[in-house]
Amino acid sequence: YPVVSVDGVYVPVQIARGYTVAALPTGVVGQRAYVTDAASPSFGSAVSGGGSVVIPVFRNASAWIVG
């Protein structure tokens, strides 16, 4: 796995996987990914598909959120 140094401590770099919104897994809180078909994404809101924007998302307790 790739690693980076943060204040002299080496930590792994997490590589997020890309999905369409419809194919996002159920996920667990804190999981990160990116979507390849977001429609009019707004930071902090639930992501919706059908567009062409590639953007990172994370899973909260009930939905995938833009961010």
Side-chain angles (χ1 to χ4, degrees):
Y1 292 98
V3 295
V4 295
S5 175
V6 177
D7 295 328
V9 177
Y10 287 93
V11 295
V13 174
Q14 292 184 350
I15 300 172
R17 182 169 173 203
Y19 297 90
T20 61
V21 172
L24 281 166
T26 302
V28 294
V29 174
Q31 185 176 355
R32 298 195 58 84
Y34 69 90
V35 296
T36 57
D37 68 338
S40 302
S42 178
F43 185 81
S45 65
V47 67
S48 61
S52 60
V53 179
V54 176
I55 197 159
V57 293
F58 67 93
R59 181 71 185 180
N60 72 5
S62 60
W64 284 96
I65 304 297
V66 175

